[in-house]
Amino acid sequence: GIDYLPDSKIGRNAWHLYMIKVREGKFTIDRDEFLEILRDEYNIGISVHYIPVHLHPFYTENFGTREGDYPKCEAFFNEIISIPLYPSMTEEDVVYVSKAVAEIAQKYSK
């Protein structure tokens, strides 16, 4: 139920964020609940990045875009989370985050 996003076929990834995809329908919880568990039970700073451009106020106000205009983009956004990735992460930090994601995925897998 967890997908790790592959490298781009058209260039190298800068890895300034590390996103995973919490596939809808594969768990008894949704992406937002997955986030809350990582934050509340494991004390892991987690986030959702990059709302689809067409949903930003500038585009909705100036171009009339709205939710539903780009369903594939919105579906992708609703399944991704950014897990911690920063230069000072220790190997222990990486293992802790990896184990937390794996534990939650296993516990709430359908």
Side-chain angles (χ1 to χ4, degrees):
I2 297 287
D3 287 339
Y4 298 92
L5 305 179
D7 261 338
S8 169
K9 293 181 179 165
I10 60 171
R12 290 182 58 202
N13 193 325
W15 295 113
H16 71 290
L17 297 174
Y18 193 86
M19 292 186 286
I20 60 174
K21 187 175 181 186
V22 180
R23 293 190 321 180
E24 189 174 315
K26 298 293 181 178
F27 299 99
T28 59
I29 58 174
D30 65 15
R31 188 266 321 255
D32 292 342
E33 291 168 310
F34 203 101
L35 281 166
E36 289 174 19
I37 293 168
L38 280 168
R39 187 176 25 245
D40 298 344
E41 295 182 23
Y42 291 88
N43 198 31
I44 294 174
I46 202 91
S47 189
V48 174
H49 284 93
Y50 304 122
I51 183 172
V53 170
H54 70 282
L55 297 178
H56 280 268
F58 176 82
Y59 289 89
T60 60
E61 293 167 11
N62 292 290
F63 300 107
T65 56
R66 62 180 191 267
E67 193 169 333
D69 284 350
Y70 299 94
K72 287 183 181 181
C73 178
E74 293 167 28
F76 180 77
F77 172 72
N78 289 328
E79 292 184 334
I80 61 170
I81 60 175
S82 296
I83 61 175
L85 177 69
Y86 51 91
S88 63
M89 276 185 87
T90 65
E91 189 169 334
E92 291 81 18
D93 294 334
V94 172
V95 169
Y96 180 75
V97 171
S98 300
K99 284 185 176 181
V101 168
E103 285 175 12
I104 296 167
Q106 183 176 15
K107 182 176 180 179
Y108 294 99
S109 184
K110 283 188 174 181

